[in-house]
Amino acid sequence: MFMLIKGRLVIHNNNENYKLENIDGESLREVKVPERSIMAIDGSTSRTGISILGYDGKPLVIFAVIRDNNESHVEYKVNLKRVIGAVLLGNKSIDTAVYEEPFIEYSSAAKHLLMLRTFVEELIVEHRPELDHIRFIEINNKKWKRIFLRPDKCPSSSQLEKKAVRDKLLSTFPYLDGISQDEIDSVAMGLAVLSEINAGNVGKLASRKQGRRFSYNIEFIGADNDDEAFAEIGDNLSDMGIPVRVAEEGIKFIELN
């Protein structure tokens, strides 16, 4: 048994009354989005939330792809990629794909999150020229939440962030009550990016910028490969005194002679 797909199509009548209609995985592959839209993906190694939104800011399709207990992480990535690829290839009106940059907080998940991270870009390369028109945007978790929640400030804890995002989204789209947090985050992230695209600020969405200089400590780590180094860093992150802002922007390796 492999991944479970829970899909919902946004339906409305002439009175602009909206509701969600359940669709299965096979039906999802056949969904057609007639208007210019973006896809927002909240990637996870166990449950990935995906939404398609029109440029008018209205959700069109929302679904989650859930990894089965007997499904390996590699199988999950391949199957998730197959589902997303079918949707993108069948809907040329989707011109932007937004992906939440993974925060490598727990070393045990680092390898799988980094493996999953590239699947959208792989799809674009593998399906040239059909998907060449798609603009790929990767955005930091904190950044999109700050954009979405403004003018209110983004809370300092993860649980309060989730509540604030859910409350604000449901105040605008009450019919979305009942969908998972992953799906909530994908819709809210898509709306945050859309607001910046429509304001002409898409160039400012990049996650990494040159940081100001700060004092530092050097920690020497012995490792035979990158996986071991990630594990060592993850297990000792707090002891190393790495600033939260730096950790949120991700970890990268450079070679020194």
Side-chain angles (χ1 to χ4, degrees), residues 42-205:
D42 179 25
S44 169
T45 58
S46 58
R47 183 185 183 113
T48 295
I50 304 106
S51 60
I52 302 173
L53 300 92
Y55 268 74
D56 59 0
K58 292 179 181 178
L60 303 172
V61 182
I62 303 166
F63 61 102
V65 179
I66 306 161
R67 184 170 67 89
D68 184 78
N69 291 333
N70 297 320
E71 188 176 20
S72 73
H73 287 91
V74 173
E75 289 171 327
Y76 178 66
K77 175 182 176 177
V78 171
N79 289 324
L80 174 62
K81 188 174 171 181
R82 185 179 295 121
V83 172
I84 300 300
V87 175
L88 292 176
L89 287 167
N91 292 277
K92 299 299 178 64
S93 57
I94 301 174
D95 63 12
T96 300
V98 183
Y99 194 89
E100 183 182 84
E101 177 186 285
F103 172 41
I104 311 302
E105 183 177 6
Y106 304 107
S107 60
S108 61
K111 177 180 178 180
H112 304 308
L113 286 170
L114 290 173
M115 175 183 66
L116 192 66
R117 177 183 198 168
T118 61
F119 85 87
V120 176
E121 291 177 291
E122 290 170 12
L123 278 170
I124 295 172
V125 171
E126 290 168 2
H127 292 281
R128 287 175 173 164
E130 292 93 337
L131 298 182
D132 270 351
H133 66 286
I134 294 178
R135 168 177 52 188
F136 179 73
I137 297 173
E138 190 175 67
I139 187 169
N140 181 270
N141 175 286
K142 297 291 184 182
K143 175 170 284 188
W144 76 252
K145 287 177 180 175
R146 285 196 298 268
I147 295 170
F148 179 72
L149 293 173
R150 64 189 181 198
D152 296 331
K153 289 186 176 181
C154 186
S156 56
S157 76
S158 177
Q159 290 304 314
L160 290 177
E161 284 178 357
K162 291 177 181 178
K163 184 179 185 304
V165 169
R166 175 176 282 274
D167 289 348
K168 181 166 184 178
L169 187 66
L170 294 184
S171 69
T172 305
F173 306 109
Y175 60 87
L176 296 182
D177 190 20
I179 67 175
S180 70
Q181 188 65 44
D182 309 271
E183 294 164 292
I184 286 281
D185 285 353
S186 74
V187 176
M189 177 171 57
L191 290 171
V193 171
L194 270 174
S195 70
E196 295 301 283
I197 290 175
N198 292 331
N201 296 329
V202 66
K204 298 179 181 179
L205 291 173

Side-chain angles (χ1 to χ4, degrees), residues 217-237 239-240 242 251-253:
N217 297 318
I218 295 177
E219 187 84 19
F220 291 96
I221 296 173
D224 292 329
N225 54 56
D226 289 357
D227 286 343
E228 286 187 14
F230 266 121
E232 186 72 19
I233 292 170
D235 291 342
N236 298 282
L237 200 60
D239 294 337
M240 294 178 184
I242 296 176
I251 297 170
K252 69 176 181 177
F253 294 131

